[in-house]
Amino acid sequence: MSEQHRPRIVVVGSINLDLVYHVPRLPQPGETLTGTSFQQVHGGKGANQAVAAARMNADVSLIGRIGDDTFGAALVVGLEAEAVDASHVKTSGGTSSGLAVIGVADSGQNCITVIPGANGLVTSADVMAAESSIAASDVLLLQLEIPVEAVITAIRIARNYKVLTILDPAPALQTFPPELLCVDVVCPNESEASLITGLPVTNVAEAVVAARHLQSLGAKIAIITLGSLGCVVCDESDNPRHVPSFPVTAVDTTAAGDAFAGALGFCLAQGQPIFEALCFASAAGAIATTRRGAQPAMPRLDEVNALLKPK
Ligand code: ADP
């Protein structure tokens, strides 16, 4: 791929720091325990998907917000180290950056507290200020960890400029504004798809029915990811397809969906057909499960190509 033809992707979404502590067991209310280790891991669905696409060698720009704390500054340094353009990441005074405080017990049990912080302050005006970047992009990638109004504004702008829109509707919303589904591609996991459609999604056949329902609600292409069962897609050809997953030894499925969405955005920005794009995205998702953490688990282009190469 030459420099001029690098796909351009804009992501509008969340930026978080995961503060992960390990303890022999989870504490009871009021109890103080001694932990065994601690890590800071860069995360947030928006930032994860931006890093996933950047590791594929796409030109990626992220629109979002951090707080005026040391965490926020470190998160931006991390994005820039991954070659993600953070010039549209604004700083909100008087609030923290998005944080997830995650306790992990020896048994594998965890407890998580998410503080949206500055992610909750992303506005439609922030998105409008980046209109020219969206207009110049091939793909707009969205999730739901920021206010829904900002997401809808981004969809409207992208549609005006005929930029391909991909929505990963995570985390699921209790009330789902219909305009969110006026996108080219929607890619929920099984529980999100079930919540949006009100249908059961526990296997491939049910996922096809739910995907068709998502299309009837406005999405041109509906993909439902099913973890180790792979994913299904319904596109405009009325020919639903199942894409099996790649067999790997999964150690941590955190951010598999983000690796999948970032890689999907990369392929569609290059104009690849949907089925090829989904095979590539599935390989990216599979690799992410073989490593711990969010952004550190995102695969690189050569790793995905190696998994796709026939043995
Ligand atoms: P989310 O993280 O949003 O819940 P999924 O768990 O469905 O998303 O994962 C997204 C994609 O990543 C799946 O469709 C699949 O291709 C791949 N994937 C996820 N878990 C595994 C696994 N255990 N083995 C292989 N591939 C996986």
Side-chain angles (χ1 to χ4, degrees):
M1 208 187 313
S2 71
E3 276 299 301
Q4 300 91 291
H5 294 105
R6 279 163 62 119
R8 283 163 302 185
I9 298 177
V10 170
V11 184
V12 184
S14 58
I15 308 166
N16 279 348
L17 188 64
D18 296 345
L19 304 171
V20 187
Y21 63 91
H22 297 261
V23 270
R25 60 177 175 80
L26 298 179
Q28 302 294 324
E31 188 181 12
T32 300
L33 285 181
T34 301
T36 49
S37 61
F38 172 77
Q39 286 111 31
Q40 298 186 34
V41 186
H42 292 198
K45 286 183 185 298
N48 294 347
Q49 295 184 15
V51 168
R55 288 191 181 176
M56 301 295 145
N57 295 335
D59 267 338
V60 183
S61 184
L62 177 61
I63 300 168
R65 279 190 177 262
I66 51 165
D68 59 350
D69 47 20
T70 52
F71 295 142
L75 288 164
V76 167
V77 168
L79 288 168
E80 286 171 345
E82 295 284 350
V84 173
D85 166 29
S87 58
H88 295 298
V89 174
K90 295 195 171 156
T91 304
S92 293
T95 190
S96 76
S97 296
L99 299 174
V101 185
I102 305 173
V104 184
D106 287 349
S107 65
Q109 268 192 318
N110 64 22
C111 62
I112 304 178
T113 302
V114 176
I115 295 120
N119 293 313
L121 301 177
V122 177
T123 62
S124 290
D126 293 345
V127 179
M128 287 189 283
E131 177 167 350
S132 58
S133 294
I134 297 174
S137 66
D138 300 302
V139 158
L140 175 72
L141 206 43
L142 303 156
Q143 324 75 30
L144 300 177
E145 282 186 334
I146 58 168
V148 75
E149 303 75 44
V151 177
I152 289 174
T153 299
I155 292 172
R156 286 186 190 148
I157 292 173
R159 282 161 59 94
N160 278 346
Y161 292 99
K162 301 202 178 346
V163 172
L164 190 110
T165 45
I166 303 177
L167 173 69
D168 175 3
L173 299 177
Q174 285 303 331
T175 44
F176 199 84
E179 207 175 340
L180 281 179
L181 282 175
C182 296
V183 287
D184 294 293
V185 181
V186 66
C187 56
N189 68 12
E190 58 261 76
S191 61
E192 293 144 8
S194 181
L195 205 78
I196 299 167
T197 61
L199 297 167
V201 185
T202 59
N203 55 41
V204 168
E206 288 177 352
V208 169
V209 175
R212 284 211 162 108
H213 190 75
L214 289 169
Q215 286 184 296
S216 75
L217 295 174
K220 287 196 191 127
I221 298 177
I223 297 159
I224 298 180
T225 67
L226 302 162
S228 59
L229 289 181
C231 66
V232 300
V233 57
C234 288
D235 64 5
E236 287 145 315
S237 70
D238 195 32
N239 174 25
R241 313 250 331 236
H242 172 226
V243 182
S245 70
F246 287 80
V248 290
T249 306
V251 296
D252 177 7
T253 59
T254 306
D258 292 335
F260 180 96
L264 178 69
F266 166 73
C267 293
L268 296 183
Q270 285 182 311
Q272 287 188 31
I274 189 69
F275 190 75
E276 281 78 351
L278 287 174
C279 293
F280 186 92
S282 301
I287 294 169
T289 71
T290 65
R291 306 201 272 244
R292 291 189 194 284
Q295 283 168 38
M298 296 297 122
R300 296 192 180 278
L301 183 59
D302 53 351
E303 295 175 290
V304 179
N305 283 334
L307 187 58
L308 285 168
K309 212 162 65 196
K311 304 245 156 38

